[in-house]
């Protein structure tokens, strides 16, 4: 029995010795030094180095380079359906959330495609990930009103909660939003008050805190 085991070990090592390969050669990584590896979504998996994320395909190739604008949250509340519920970057319906800091360092959110290109401009103060080709977000519009006595630009802001599709087209306006202060010291992430339930079906939270169901007359995707 002992001789059989020794013979098996020798036979097992012969291919390695013949090719002068070591275990390190055989198990050479395609990417190394990663701090986190997320599951695959839409054919791509997010990988993290420090505070930056990139994406690999199913061959292990890095197809979207490491960048610092992808949305993720340490200790994310995954029961939430907005940007705060995203624990790691992922593609849904071919779109992944990105964050850009604009005036007053207020974060605005948009989406990239699977090539890493921004295809929906960061014009949303809060937004869901896509589900069946649609998302809900709070769109912000900035309009120049004029200049003050110090010749500094003065802007007006308007806010609308909307349903958008993967091309960035706003398909349906839900409600005007107010009490959003675009000042760094006073800004707080505005709550989404609508949830997509099914194709063309949505629930909307009223000012009293209860929910209403609405059917949206949207064209089929």
């Amino acid at each position: 029995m002992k001789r059989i085991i020794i013979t098996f070990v020798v036979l097992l090592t012969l291919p390695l010795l013949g090719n002068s390969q070591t275990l390190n050669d055989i198990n050479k990584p395609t990417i190394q030094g990663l701090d986190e590896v997320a599951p695959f979504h839409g054919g791509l998996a997010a990988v993290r180095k420090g505070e930056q994320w990139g994406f690999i395909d199913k061959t292990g190739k890095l197809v979207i380079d490491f960048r610092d604008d992808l949305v993720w949250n340490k200790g994310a509340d995954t029961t939430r359906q907005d940007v705060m519920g995203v624990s790691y970057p992922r593609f849904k319906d071919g779109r992944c959330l990105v964050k850009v800091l604009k005036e007053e360092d207020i974060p605005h959110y948009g989406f990239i495609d699977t090539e890493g290109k921004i295809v929906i401009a960061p014009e949303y103060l809060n937004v869901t990930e896509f589900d069946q080709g649609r998302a809900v977000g709070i769109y912000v519009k900035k309009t120049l009103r004029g200049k003050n006595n110090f010749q500094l630009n003065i802007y007006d802001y308007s806010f609308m909660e909307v349903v958008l599709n993967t091309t960035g087209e706003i398909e349906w306006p839900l409600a005007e939003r107010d009490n959003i202060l675009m000042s760094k010291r006073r800004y707080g992430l505005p709550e989404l008050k609508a949830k997509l339930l099914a194709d063309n079906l949505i629930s909307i939270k009223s000012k009293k805190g209860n929910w209403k169901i609405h059917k949206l007359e949207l064209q089929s995707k």
Side-chain angles (χ1 to χ4, degrees):
M1 183 65 181
K2 184 176 180 181
R3 180 175 294 179
I4 292 174
I5 294 173
I6 293 173
T7 302
F8 177 75
V9 171
V10 170
L11 290 173
L12 189 64
T13 58
L14 280 176
L16 301 181
L17 295 173
N19 294 321
S20 300
Q21 288 181 314
T22 67
L23 288 175
N24 287 338
D25 293 328
I26 295 172
N27 295 301
K28 186 176 181 180
T30 57
I31 303 174
Q32 54 188 331
L34 298 174
D35 295 304
E36 188 174 351
V37 179
F40 274 92
H41 292 272
L44 299 176
V47 291
R48 180 170 66 85
K49 280 187 177 182
E51 299 298 306
Q52 294 189 329
W53 290 82
F55 282 94
I56 60 170
D57 62 15
K58 290 188 176 181
T59 70
K61 179 183 177 182
L62 187 70
V63 292
I64 296 179
D65 203 1
F66 293 97
R67 51 198 290 173
D68 59 9
D69 61 347
L70 299 177
V71 174
W72 66 295
N73 300 278
K74 292 180 181 178
D77 180 358
T78 55
T79 64
R80 295 182 59 154
Q81 297 182 11
D82 63 1
V83 295
M84 298 305 296
V86 179
S87 55
Y88 57 84
R90 61 182 177 179
F91 279 93
K92 299 190 71 176
D93 294 334
R95 300 290 181 263
C96 178
L97 275 164
V98 291
K99 176 176 71 175
V100 175
L101 297 180
K102 295 191 178 182
E103 293 84 357
E104 298 279 340
D105 287 334
I106 292 174
H108 291 59
Y109 299 91
F111 293 86
I112 59 170
D113 63 13
T114 53
E115 294 182 352
K117 299 176 182 177
I118 292 181
V119 289
I120 299 179
E123 297 174 330
Y124 293 85
L125 297 181
N126 198 358
V127 67
T128 67
E129 294 179 288
F130 276 95
D131 183 18
Q132 300 183 65
R134 295 192 175 106
V136 172
I138 298 174
Y139 176 77
V140 55
K141 182 179 180 181
K142 177 181 175 183
T143 305
L144 179 64
R145 189 173 72 187
K147 294 181 179 293
N148 62 17
N149 293 335
F150 301 99
Q151 294 303 301
L152 298 175
N153 291 336
I154 302 174
Y155 296 97
D156 285 331
Y157 294 90
S158 59
F159 312 95
M160 179 74 70
E161 192 157 349
V162 301
V163 175
L164 63 147
N165 62 27
T166 54
T167 68
E169 177 188 6
I170 293 176
E171 290 191 318
W172 196 269
L174 297 170
E176 291 184 355
R177 296 294 302 271
D178 52 18
N179 298 322
I180 299 175
L181 302 175
M182 299 296 284
S183 168
K184 183 177 182 179
R185 290 184 298 174
R186 305 177 68 187
Y187 179 77
L189 181 73
E191 174 193 5
L192 293 175
K193 295 186 177 180
K195 296 179 182 180
L196 288 166
L197 301 177
D199 196 22
N200 295 3
L201 198 66
I202 195 166
S203 60
I204 300 177
K205 189 177 184 180
S206 72
K207 291 183 180 180
K208 294 181 179 180
N210 52 27
W211 293 87
K212 297 181 289 185
I213 306 299
H214 294 260
K215 185 171 177 60
L216 306 178
E217 301 298 329
L218 301 176
Q219 295 181 353
S220 299
K221 300 179 291 295

